Amino acid sequence: MLKELCEKKESRKVIIFFLSAYVMPWILFPWIKSEEVSGVWAQWVMTLPAAGIIWGKWYVEGTRKDFFQKVFIVGSLCYAVYAVFCVAGVVPRQYIETGADIVIIPFSVLLFFYCILFSNEKLYPFKNRKKMIIIVLSAMGYSILMGVIGDSAFHIGKQLLFEMGSVFNVLVLSGLCFMGEEYAWRGHLQKKLQGYLGKRKGVILLGILWEIWHIPLWFGYFHFEQMSGGLVVVIILRFVNVIGLAIFLGWVYMKTENVWLCALLHGMNNQNNMLGTTVEILPGIPIGAIIQPIILWTFLFSKVYKKEISAKEE
């Protein structure tokens, strides 16, 4: 009886997460036309995986005491209202980006400093700080290397300043968005899937699910249909790259148990153009789209992926 009850509760959590993360993004999709509006919509979509996890916990467990979760849900809802205003044309185009910052930044700052001052160890932004520093510096070095490979006009000094600004931007000013993904993908779902399938199969499945979640963004934000590399090729490369990123971020999370670090690396990957788009190995295919997954997939054979975990461990 207890087992059946637990399975029923888990099923409800999965349904709520699926509705939030995979169904909600399509609600405003038909009205996404301008680049400015699609950017706001994409940022709102980033908050939905974590919102789905939190809504599921609240519905099944009936507890709403966690301040981080409350702030996150309020932030996500406020941004949803703002996205609707943008789609409806209430917000003038020239003010859309500024308005988005006005909504995102206060909630992001509140989440970050709350986690520093009051949260439990699981959400402390600088957990395992020594490993965190080494990993972040390595990521910066990789980004600079890809810049050197991909752009003959690349300036290391300027890129280093950009990298440092990116760290502040992701951690402090954009946490509502990047934690919106990482709180769900790494912070909750990774260990669940790895517990049932094993670390390697679990993280690969997570990468597949993560990219499937991106499907609305393929045409509403990334505009795959306009890319010269060919839609099928671009989609295949996306899956290979995103699964590789899931493997790497999975490795990071298992090494540090720091979900903020995963959010930071996720943001750095998005903002720093690590694929090196200037040099194309094939028409429309940047060289980094081939190099990056090769590097990221090698983490699947690291020591941390060899030791398995309990099927019910959370």
Side-chain angles (χ1 to χ4, degrees):
M1 181 69 179
L2 181 61
K3 182 179 179 181
E4 292 178 357
L5 184 62
C6 290
E7 289 178 349
K8 190 174 182 180
K9 288 182 176 180
E10 288 301 312
S11 297
R12 288 175 178 174
K13 287 182 181 179
V14 170
I15 292 171
I16 293 171
F17 171 76
F18 175 79
L19 291 174
S20 176
Y22 289 88
V23 176
M24 287 289 287
W26 293 99
I27 290 179
L28 297 180
F29 185 84
W31 295 276
I32 303 302
K33 296 177 181 178
S34 69
E35 183 177 346
E36 296 89 348
V37 174
S38 68
V40 171
W41 169 76
Q43 287 180 309
W44 170 63
V45 169
M46 291 177 71
T47 71
L48 296 179
I53 294 290
I54 296 170
W55 284 121
K57 282 179 171 289
W58 285 5
Y59 179 78
V60 172
E61 299 172 6
T63 57
R64 299 174 178 83
K65 298 180 180 179
D66 189 295
F67 184 76
F68 175 92
Q69 294 179 357
K70 289 180 179 179
V71 172
F72 189 90
I73 289 298
V74 173
S76 178
L77 290 175
C78 287
Y79 201 69
V81 172
Y82 179 72
V84 171
F85 284 168
C86 290
V87 167
V90 175
V91 182
R93 284 193 178 184
Q94 64 268 32
Y95 298 117
I96 285 178
E97 186 174 344
T98 302
D101 290 339
I102 290 173
V103 178
I104 291 174
I105 290 176
F107 287 104
S108 298
V109 170
L110 183 57
L111 288 173
F112 179 70
F113 284 103
Y114 169 77
C115 287
I116 288 179
L117 298 173
F118 304 111
S119 74
N120 55 36
E121 186 181 3
K122 184 177 180 180
L123 285 177
Y124 182 60
F126 302 113
K127 184 178 181 180
N128 288 314
R129 65 171 61 89
K130 290 183 179 179
K131 291 181 180 178
M132 180 180 187
I133 292 171
I134 293 171
I135 291 171
V136 171
L137 290 177
S138 299
M140 287 182 176
Y142 168 72
S143 178
I144 290 173
L145 176 62
M146 292 304 299
V148 171
I149 293 173
D151 189 350
S152 59
F154 183 80
H155 191 283
I156 294 178
K158 290 182 180 179
Q159 182 64 22
L160 188 57
L161 290 175
F162 180 82
E163 300 279 354
M164 291 187 288
S166 179
V167 169
F168 178 79
N169 181 47
V170 174
L171 282 181
V172 183
L173 305 182
S174 304
L176 184 68
C177 297
F178 290 106
M179 280 294 281
E181 289 198 49
E182 294 306 316
Y183 182 83
W185 304 123
R186 253 55 63 182
H188 284 80
L189 296 177
Q190 176 174 308
K191 194 170 285 188
K192 287 281 189 182
L193 293 174
Q194 288 180 323
Y196 287 113
L197 299 174
K199 285 186 176 180
R200 289 175 175 144
K201 291 179 181 178
V203 82
I204 289 173
L205 177 58
L206 179 62
I208 294 171
L209 294 174
W210 189 17
E211 185 53 28
I212 291 174
W213 169 81
H214 280 93
I215 288 177
L217 300 175
W218 287 0
F219 307 104
Y221 183 66
F222 298 132
H223 300 294
F224 282 4
E225 73 281 4
Q226 299 176 13
M227 294 184 179
S228 58
L231 183 60
V232 175
V233 173
V234 171
I235 289 174
I236 291 173
L237 288 176
R238 271 289 305 188
F239 268 99
V240 173
N241 268 286
V242 170
I243 294 171
L245 190 57
I247 291 169
F248 170 66
L249 292 177
W251 174 85
V252 169
Y253 189 66
M254 288 187 288
K255 292 285 285 186
T256 66
E257 295 186 343
N258 186 337
V259 70
W260 279 96
L261 175 56
C262 294
L264 172 59
L265 294 169
H266 181 170
M268 290 173 66
N269 178 78
N270 286 15
Q271 295 183 12
N272 297 355
N273 195 22
M274 292 185 179
L275 295 183
T277 55
T278 304
V279 176
E280 295 183 349
I281 194 168
L282 292 171
I285 307 300
I287 188 171
I290 306 299
I291 295 176
Q292 178 160 300
I294 293 174
I295 295 173
L296 296 179
W297 275 77
T298 60
F299 283 89
L300 194 63
F301 304 100
S302 62
K303 183 185 293 186
V304 74
Y305 273 105
K306 293 179 181 178
K307 184 179 179 182
E308 296 300 345
I309 58 180
S310 168
K312 297 297 181 181
E313 187 179 353
E314 292 189 50

